[in-house]
Amino acid sequence: MSENCSVMGEKRAGVIGLGVSGKKISQALLKLRYHPIAFEKKRKEEFLQKEENIRFFEENKDKMEFVFDYKTEDIIKRKEEFEFVVLSSGIKHDELAKNGINFISELDFVSQNLPENSKVILITGTKGKGSIALITSKILKKLGLNHFVGGNIGEVEGKVSTLSDSILSDEAKKTGIFLFEVSSFQLRSSAKIHPYTLAISCIEKDHLDYHPSFFDYFFSKIKLSTQSEFVVYSEKFAPLSRKYEVSKVIPSHIASFEKIFDVEWREKKIVIKESKNRREIELDSEGFEIDGIELEGAKSNAICAVGILTTLINPEDLKKIKIENIQKKFSFEILGKVKVEGKDVIVINDSKSTNLISLKNAISSLKGRKIVLIAGGRVKGFSFSEIKDFLSEAEVFLIGEAKEEIAKDLGKGTICKNLEDAFRKSIEFIKKSSEKEFFLLFSPGCASFPDFESAEHRGKEFERIFRDFKETNK
């Protein structure tokens, strides 16, 4: 069903998907004086169930056209009407390409509308990309360097910051550095962008419910390397790596990569080692250990951030500051310690864990501790049997759509009705156990759907459950 506006612009562009990124793309097109035609899968009644969607529709219904409950055929029939179609995050391009539709990813669209000579830093990987972007941003601020940060990162300084916000923000135009946290979904459909630096945290199996193969996922992450000026990557693309390499891309008809720095974690310091003269620069760090827990994921994120910065500034300038951890909400967030019948229980909210590598990272940080794990949700093309041995010592409580499947894969696990039931049963287990210290870890290792709207939503729910428990057990 199409909702036509009364004012028609000369230049037309399609937008597919009206989630968070799709709405921002539409606003960016309006700012660039295009007439957007937005295609949304949901029926109008369903779309308008959310307050933010009602507000967006009312503010823009006279400026753009809405097509609800669309089919691919609806776009094909109208392909001659628009100059191009912008894909919001998560929209596949395959059918559009087969039917000759001139599509462009949000990333390519944004890059073509940034100020000339902008330095675009793309940060991707299976785990850690959001934290890497925030740590990099924090260091740039300390050094007094203006920049924009956005992407799938969620909120930045209290506001959602998408790729298209770099077009919408007048402040962003005053900076020459753009930090973009990007997913394999966005990269898969991108081809025109030439990043200044491409940073890859790690690559492990993920999103195989979206990508037709692991190679498709892997290639999406690395394919822009030959179009970049610098590449920063973890050793062997491994998770929790304590070593990153920084290479300069030597362009030619066959690109080559010259390593210029190694960045390593050495005890409590980050060490930058120059490849040519082997000179070392030591940087002080802070905040990478909490209550005796070594934050291995945070350390890996920090050295990746330092690797990125070596491509932007003189590495010697980093000696002026201390490299600090950033506690990203719902990413191995320690909510607090409580007493349960004389036993210490440290509660950790790792709701942003949406794949097996995230879950493995969380477990690795608690190596040798007594772990009570709450996990589950919707699996994304992988099997928990892959980490069966890894979870052999943990007591597991399962929730979500795939809880029975996960229990079968692990050969163990208590099936729970919902998150609240899992928390209650976890506490009951702790009460009956003879151990004196426990780490109650909520690290789902799965997508949040259909029980929750997002990883943030389930994180807030776990936070509420823990808060209520503390209030009733004072």
Side-chain angles (χ1 to χ4, degrees):
M1 183 183 76
S2 174
E3 299 279 337
N4 290 295
C5 66
S6 55
V7 180
M8 307 297 281
E10 289 183 11
K11 300 187 297 183
R12 293 190 177 195
V15 181
I16 304 184
L18 278 177
V20 174
S21 67
K23 290 195 281 282
K24 289 295 183 74
I25 292 167
S26 300
Q27 291 172 328
L29 285 167
L30 286 167
K31 185 171 184 176
L32 296 169
R33 300 189 179 280
Y34 279 90
H35 167 70
I37 304 171
F39 296 86
E40 167 56 42
K41 278 288 185 187
K42 293 178 181 176
R43 291 177 291 104
K44 181 180 179 181
E45 297 76 17
E46 185 183 0
F47 178 76
L48 295 178
Q49 286 177 3
K50 288 187 177 181
E51 186 62 38
E52 62 265 31
N53 289 345
I54 295 173
R55 188 165 55 250
F56 178 81
F57 180 76
E58 290 300 323
E59 289 175 356
N60 294 287
K61 63 183 180 182
D62 295 328
K63 305 173 188 174
M64 56 185 285
E65 181 182 344
F66 294 81
V67 181
F68 295 105
D69 192 24
Y70 82 90
K71 305 292 186 293
T72 304
E73 293 75 23
D74 298 325
I75 303 172
I76 296 169
K77 288 175 186 175
R78 302 185 62 178
K79 67 181 182 180
E80 302 302 328
E81 291 184 33
F82 26 71
E83 293 183 20
F84 54 86
V85 175
V86 188
L87 310 183
S88 57
S89 182
I91 302 297
K92 292 186 177 183
H93 65 259
D94 305 62
E95 284 299 316
L96 303 177
K98 287 178 186 176
N99 287 281
I101 293 171
N102 183 26
F103 69 87
I104 187 171
S105 72
E106 181 187 12
L107 183 57
D108 283 341
F109 164 66
V110 166
S111 70
Q112 292 176 357
N113 289 284
L114 294 180
E116 195 174 350
N117 298 319
S118 295
K119 291 181 178 178
V120 176
I121 316 299
L122 298 186
I123 304 171
T124 191
T126 307
K127 174 68 177 171
K129 50 189 178 288
S131 296
I132 293 166
L134 292 176
I135 294 171
T136 307
S137 175
K138 186 174 183 178
I139 296 171
L140 288 172
K141 284 179 186 174
K142 283 186 174 184
L143 295 171
L145 295 171
N146 291 331
H147 62 284
F148 173 88
V149 58
N152 288 341
I153 200 164
E155 290 190 355
V156 176
E157 297 181 348
K159 296 188 296 184
V160 172
S161 185
T162 69
L163 299 179
S164 293
D165 278 296
S166 60
I167 297 174
L168 294 168
S169 169
D170 291 328
E171 286 298 311
K173 291 181 180 178
K174 300 174 184 177
T175 178
I177 301 172
F178 294 84
L179 302 179
F180 290 158
E181 185 246 20
V182 289
S183 70
S184 61
F185 301 167
Q186 292 160 314
L187 291 169
R188 185 173 186 263
S189 300
S190 300
K192 299 177 182 179
I193 185 171
H194 288 260
Y196 183 74
T197 302
L198 172 66
I200 305 169
S201 64
C202 62
I203 303 179
E204 294 257 315
K205 274 190 202 175
D206 196 17
H207 297 301
L208 297 187
D209 55 339
Y210 179 92
H211 293 274
S213 66
F214 175 67
F215 183 80
D216 187 85
Y217 173 71
F218 182 88
F219 185 69
S220 295
K221 295 288 191 185
I222 69 166
K223 70 176 186 177
L224 294 178
S225 57
T226 57
Q227 296 172 209
S228 307
E229 292 192 39
F230 296 94
V231 183
V232 180
Y233 46 93
S234 60
E235 192 173 38
K236 299 179 182 178
F237 295 119
L240 299 181
S241 179
R242 288 202 169 197
K243 180 179 178 181
Y244 273 73
E245 297 179 356
V246 181
S247 289
K248 181 174 178 58
V249 183
I250 310 300
S252 71
H253 65 287
I254 299 177
S256 58
F257 302 85
E258 178 189 355
K259 187 168 75 167
I260 54 175
F261 294 110
D262 284 319
V263 186
E264 302 177 4
W265 190 277
R266 197 179 294 168
E267 295 181 352
K268 293 187 180 294
K269 292 186 180 291
I270 296 172
V271 180
I272 303 170
K273 187 189 297 182
E274 292 187 16
S275 297
K276 282 188 177 178
N277 58 25
R278 311 308 292 170
R279 183 172 65 107
E280 293 189 352
I281 301 169
E282 290 190 348
L283 310 177
D284 292 325
S285 68
E286 185 175 72
F288 295 91
E289 180 183 322
I290 301 176
D291 293 335
I293 304 170
E294 295 283 341
L295 303 178
E296 298 298 336
K299 291 177 182 178
S300 185
N301 296 339
I303 57 176
C304 182
V306 169
I308 292 168
L309 289 156
T310 63
T311 71
L312 291 169
I313 61 172
N314 184 341
E316 287 283 351
D317 291 342
L318 291 169
K319 293 168 71 174
K320 301 173 186 175
I321 62 168
K322 188 173 283 188
I323 308 300
E324 296 175 320
N325 183 31
I326 286 183
Q327 177 59 73
K328 194 178 176 193
K329 195 75 175 164
F330 311 133
S331 292
F332 205 80
E333 178 186 7
I334 299 175
L335 296 182
K337 182 189 289 186
V338 292
K339 286 281 187 182
V340 176
E341 296 188 357
K343 299 161 186 175
D344 290 327
V345 182
I346 296 92
V347 181
I348 301 172
N349 189 348
D350 193 36
S351 177
K352 285 281 185 81
S353 159
T354 60
N355 51 47
L356 296 186
I357 187 59
S358 302
L359 176 51
K360 284 173 70 176
N361 285 1
I363 297 291
S364 295
S365 293
L366 300 173
K367 191 174 181 180
R369 316 291 182 117
K370 184 60 181 177
I371 301 170
V372 178
L373 171 68
I374 300 176
R378 174 177 289 175
V379 295
K380 300 187 291 179
F382 48 74
S383 168
F384 269 66
S385 61
E386 297 173 35
I387 59 167
K388 181 177 180 179
D389 293 340
F390 208 77
L391 296 177
S392 60
E393 299 299 319
E395 191 67 29
V396 182
F397 295 82
L398 297 168
I399 62 171
E401 182 180 83
K403 55 191 174 185
E404 285 87 2
E405 177 187 339
I406 296 171
K408 185 178 178 182
D409 289 341
L410 294 178
K412 68 174 185 179
T414 301
I415 303 295
C416 306
K417 295 177 185 175
N418 50 40
L419 184 54
E420 199 148 7
D421 184 45
F423 187 91
R424 180 182 60 78
K425 286 178 177 174
S426 298
I427 295 297
E428 289 301 316
F429 167 80
I430 290 170
K431 287 178 179 178
K432 294 174 184 176
S433 179
S434 59
E435 302 280 343
K436 295 300 181 185
E437 184 183 67
F438 294 86
F439 286 80
L440 176 48
L441 171 66
F442 177 44
S443 187
C446 293
S448 52
F449 307 114
D451 298 322
F452 303 97
E453 293 177 5
S454 63
E456 291 83 359
H457 178 209
R458 69 182 173 193
K460 289 176 182 177
E461 183 64 10
F462 184 75
E463 200 172 48
R464 178 195 65 77
I465 292 166
F466 174 64
R467 188 171 58 245
D468 291 348
F469 174 77
K470 281 181 67 177
E471 286 296 318
T472 56
N473 286 272
K474 283 183 177 179

